[in-house]
Amino acid sequence: MVIVWKNRQKLQKEKQQKKRFWWILSFELVYLVTIFLRFSFEYLQITYFMLAISLMTLTIWLNDYDLASWRTQSLIDELSGIKNRQAFRRDFGQFVGHDLCVAMIDVDNFKEFNDESGHATGDKVIETIGQKGQIQFGDEFYRYGGDEFIVVSQMKRQDFVAKLNLLAQDVKRADVGSRPITVTIGYYFGHPRTPSEVRKLFHLADANLYFGKSRGRDQIIGEKP
């Protein structure tokens, strides 16, 4: 009961957990009542039954709550604070059947940040891009791996391109090392009707990204909105 009560504020933030909290607390109160009854009725075997049920229920609840928390944490990149590749794979099915704006983002010469200023600076670069990207795109911004980021959005195309430009400008102004952060971005638009068409959109955005790198980096390449 003490454990449940200590977690009451955290649990009551979610509707489903709030119901579980009061249910568990009620069960524990029933068990306390049986303990007091046993003092008057020495052979009241229900006390042991209630103890077993209460402990079993509490154990299930704690494991389930921890598992739900772990699942949520596993979808967030620890360094950048945004959704990770696993979250991207989970969300992939939701991209089908919508007008999409997709972008592939790569940090220019990322290795040099680590070589010149140490890995702490490299980590700061990733953290900065994660923060700036989340400001512009919210949950539509993913860290795909390493220094690669992905955006998948249903916003208007003009707004999407404008936000990509703002993101590039914001990270360039960030003070993280001896030189500014620049990114190369490739983007593409489409209305994929199948998962394979979604993958094709990312392939086309990626092709624009590498074209931008071939032109000297610090580029935003894509079709006009």
Short mmCIF file of all heavy atoms in Angstrom, two decimals, residues 2 4 7 9 20 31 69 73 95 100 104 108 117 120 128 130 150 165 175 177 181 192 202 207-209 213:
data_model
loop_
_atom_site.label_atom_id
_atom_site.label_comp_id
_atom_site.label_asym_id
_atom_site.label_seq_id
_atom_site.Cartn_x
_atom_site.Cartn_y
_atom_site.Cartn_z
N VAL A 2 1.97 1.20 0.75
CA VAL A 2 2.88 2.35 0.80
C VAL A 2 3.46 2.63 -0.58
O VAL A 2 3.54 3.78 -1.03
CB VAL A 2 4.02 2.08 1.81
CG1 VAL A 2 5.07 3.19 1.74
CG2 VAL A 2 3.45 1.98 3.23
N VAL A 4 2.18 1.83 -3.53
CA VAL A 4 1.12 2.35 -4.40
C VAL A 4 0.84 3.81 -4.08
O VAL A 4 0.69 4.65 -4.97
CB VAL A 4 -0.17 1.51 -4.24
CG1 VAL A 4 -1.30 2.10 -5.07
CG2 VAL A 4 0.09 0.06 -4.68
N ASN A 7 3.30 6.35 -5.37
CA ASN A 7 3.25 6.55 -6.81
C ASN A 7 1.94 7.16 -7.28
O ASN A 7 1.68 7.24 -8.48
CB ASN A 7 3.45 5.21 -7.54
CG ASN A 7 4.89 4.74 -7.50
OD1 ASN A 7 5.70 5.13 -8.32
ND2 ASN A 7 5.21 3.91 -6.51
N GLN A 9 0.67 10.23 -7.50
CA GLN A 9 0.67 11.40 -8.37
C GLN A 9 1.06 11.03 -9.79
O GLN A 9 0.47 11.50 -10.76
CB GLN A 9 1.62 12.46 -7.82
CG GLN A 9 1.15 13.08 -6.51
CD GLN A 9 2.08 14.17 -6.02
OE1 GLN A 9 3.24 14.26 -6.45
NE2 GLN A 9 1.59 15.01 -5.13
N ARG A 20 -6.48 1.95 -12.17
CA ARG A 20 -5.73 0.84 -11.57
C ARG A 20 -5.27 1.21 -10.16
O ARG A 20 -5.28 0.38 -9.26
CB ARG A 20 -4.53 0.50 -12.46
CG ARG A 20 -3.75 -0.70 -11.96
CD ARG A 20 -2.62 -1.02 -12.90
NE ARG A 20 -3.11 -1.38 -14.21
CZ ARG A 20 -2.31 -1.68 -15.23
NH1 ARG A 20 -1.01 -1.66 -15.06
NH2 ARG A 20 -2.81 -2.00 -16.40
N TYR A 31 -7.56 -6.04 2.47
CA TYR A 31 -6.63 -6.93 3.16
C TYR A 31 -6.37 -6.47 4.59
O TYR A 31 -6.32 -7.28 5.53
CB TYR A 31 -5.32 -6.99 2.37
CG TYR A 31 -4.23 -7.70 3.12
CD1 TYR A 31 -4.35 -9.04 3.47
CD2 TYR A 31 -3.08 -7.02 3.52
CE1 TYR A 31 -3.36 -9.69 4.19
CE2 TYR A 31 -2.09 -7.66 4.23
CZ TYR A 31 -2.23 -9.00 4.56
OH TYR A 31 -1.26 -9.62 5.27
N SER A 69 6.60 1.81 -18.94
CA SER A 69 7.57 2.90 -18.87
C SER A 69 8.80 2.58 -19.72
O SER A 69 9.32 3.44 -20.44
CB SER A 69 7.99 3.14 -17.42
OG SER A 69 8.98 4.13 -17.33
N GLN A 73 10.37 4.62 -23.00
CA GLN A 73 11.75 5.08 -23.00
C GLN A 73 12.53 4.49 -24.16
O GLN A 73 13.44 5.14 -24.70
CB GLN A 73 12.42 4.73 -21.68
CG GLN A 73 11.86 5.49 -20.48
CD GLN A 73 12.46 5.02 -19.17
OE1 GLN A 73 13.34 4.18 -19.14
NE2 GLN A 73 11.97 5.56 -18.08
N PHE A 95 2.31 6.24 -42.17
CA PHE A 95 2.67 7.15 -43.25
C PHE A 95 1.92 6.86 -44.54
O PHE A 95 1.86 7.71 -45.43
CB PHE A 95 4.18 7.09 -43.52
CG PHE A 95 5.04 7.37 -42.32
CD1 PHE A 95 6.30 6.79 -42.20
CD2 PHE A 95 4.60 8.21 -41.31
CE1 PHE A 95 7.09 7.05 -41.10
CE2 PHE A 95 5.39 8.47 -40.19
CZ PHE A 95 6.65 7.88 -40.09
N LEU A 100 2.60 13.46 -47.84
CA LEU A 100 3.77 13.52 -46.96
C LEU A 100 4.84 14.45 -47.49
O LEU A 100 5.05 14.58 -48.70
CB LEU A 100 4.38 12.12 -46.80
CG LEU A 100 3.58 11.05 -46.07
CD1 LEU A 100 4.41 9.78 -45.96
CD2 LEU A 100 3.15 11.52 -44.69
N MET A 104 15.61 14.02 -45.33
CA MET A 104 16.76 13.33 -44.75
C MET A 104 17.79 14.41 -44.42
O MET A 104 18.10 15.27 -45.26
CB MET A 104 17.36 12.33 -45.74
CG MET A 104 16.34 11.35 -46.31
SD MET A 104 15.78 10.13 -45.13
CE MET A 104 17.26 9.11 -44.99
N ASP A 108 27.15 17.91 -41.58
CA ASP A 108 28.33 18.02 -42.44
C ASP A 108 29.61 17.83 -41.61
O ASP A 108 29.79 18.46 -40.57
CB ASP A 108 28.37 19.39 -43.13
CG ASP A 108 27.19 19.60 -44.06
OD1 ASP A 108 26.70 18.60 -44.62
OD2 ASP A 108 26.77 20.76 -44.22
N SER A 117 37.43 18.54 -31.17
CA SER A 117 37.03 19.01 -29.84
C SER A 117 36.63 17.89 -28.88
O SER A 117 36.27 18.17 -27.73
CB SER A 117 35.86 20.00 -29.97
OG SER A 117 36.19 21.04 -30.85
N ALA A 120 32.54 14.79 -26.49
CA ALA A 120 31.54 15.58 -25.76
C ALA A 120 30.94 16.65 -26.67
O ALA A 120 29.73 16.93 -26.62
CB ALA A 120 32.16 16.21 -24.52
N THR A 128 21.94 19.33 -29.86
CA THR A 128 21.47 20.62 -30.37
C THR A 128 20.52 20.43 -31.55
O THR A 128 19.45 21.06 -31.61
CB THR A 128 22.66 21.49 -30.80
OG1 THR A 128 23.48 21.75 -29.66
CG2 THR A 128 22.19 22.81 -31.39
N GLY A 130 18.79 17.81 -32.24
CA GLY A 130 17.56 17.21 -31.73
C GLY A 130 16.62 18.25 -31.14
O GLY A 130 15.41 18.25 -31.41
N ILE A 150 15.65 12.24 -39.64
CA ILE A 150 14.56 12.12 -40.61
C ILE A 150 13.37 12.96 -40.14
O ILE A 150 13.08 13.01 -38.94
CB ILE A 150 14.12 10.64 -40.77
CG1 ILE A 150 15.18 9.85 -41.53
CG2 ILE A 150 12.79 10.54 -41.49
CD1 ILE A 150 14.84 8.38 -41.68
N ASN A 165 14.52 25.37 -43.61
CA ASN A 165 15.46 26.49 -43.66
C ASN A 165 15.70 27.09 -42.27
O ASN A 165 16.84 27.43 -41.93
CB ASN A 165 14.93 27.56 -44.62
CG ASN A 165 15.21 27.24 -46.07
OD1 ASN A 165 16.31 27.45 -46.58
ND2 ASN A 165 14.20 26.71 -46.76
N ASP A 175 26.14 27.68 -30.54
CA ASP A 175 27.54 27.75 -30.10
C ASP A 175 27.90 26.44 -29.42
O ASP A 175 27.64 26.24 -28.23
CB ASP A 175 27.71 28.93 -29.14
CG ASP A 175 29.15 29.09 -28.69
OD1 ASP A 175 30.04 28.51 -29.34
OD2 ASP A 175 29.38 29.78 -27.69
N GLY A 177 31.06 24.63 -30.56
CA GLY A 177 32.46 24.28 -30.77
C GLY A 177 33.20 25.40 -31.47
O GLY A 177 32.78 26.56 -31.49
N ILE A 181 27.76 24.56 -36.87
CA ILE A 181 27.18 23.32 -37.37
C ILE A 181 26.46 23.63 -38.68
O ILE A 181 25.65 24.55 -38.75
CB ILE A 181 26.13 22.76 -36.38
CG1 ILE A 181 26.72 22.62 -34.98
CG2 ILE A 181 25.60 21.42 -36.87
CD1 ILE A 181 25.67 22.32 -33.92
N PRO A 192 2.10 8.50 -50.81
CA PRO A 192 2.31 7.05 -50.95
C PRO A 192 1.06 6.25 -50.59
O PRO A 192 0.42 6.51 -49.58
CB PRO A 192 3.44 6.78 -49.95
CG PRO A 192 3.29 7.86 -48.93
CD PRO A 192 2.81 9.07 -49.66
N PHE A 202 11.50 8.14 -49.33
CA PHE A 202 12.74 8.33 -48.56
C PHE A 202 13.97 8.14 -49.44
O PHE A 202 14.98 8.82 -49.26
CB PHE A 202 12.77 7.37 -47.37
CG PHE A 202 11.85 7.77 -46.26
CD1 PHE A 202 10.69 7.07 -46.03
CD2 PHE A 202 12.12 8.87 -45.47
CE1 PHE A 202 9.82 7.45 -45.02
CE2 PHE A 202 11.26 9.26 -44.45
CZ PHE A 202 10.11 8.55 -44.23
N ALA A 207 18.45 10.65 -52.13
CA ALA A 207 19.20 10.98 -53.35
C ALA A 207 19.46 12.48 -53.42
O ALA A 207 20.56 12.91 -53.80
CB ALA A 207 18.41 10.51 -54.58
N ASN A 208 18.48 13.28 -53.04
CA ASN A 208 18.67 14.73 -53.00
C ASN A 208 19.71 15.13 -51.96
O ASN A 208 20.49 16.07 -52.15
CB ASN A 208 17.35 15.43 -52.71
CG ASN A 208 16.43 15.48 -53.91
OD1 ASN A 208 16.89 15.39 -55.05
ND2 ASN A 208 15.14 15.61 -53.68
N LEU A 209 19.72 14.40 -50.83
CA LEU A 209 20.72 14.65 -49.79
C LEU A 209 22.13 14.45 -50.34
O LEU A 209 23.01 15.31 -50.16
CB LEU A 209 20.47 13.72 -48.60
CG LEU A 209 21.57 13.64 -47.54
CD1 LEU A 209 21.70 14.95 -46.79
CD2 LEU A 209 21.31 12.50 -46.57
N LYS A 213 25.38 16.99 -50.95
CA LYS A 213 26.74 16.78 -50.46
C LYS A 213 27.75 16.88 -51.60
O LYS A 213 28.86 17.40 -51.41
CB LYS A 213 26.83 15.41 -49.77
CG LYS A 213 26.21 15.39 -48.38
CD LYS A 213 26.49 14.08 -47.68
CE LYS A 213 26.06 14.15 -46.21
NZ LYS A 213 26.89 15.10 -45.44
#
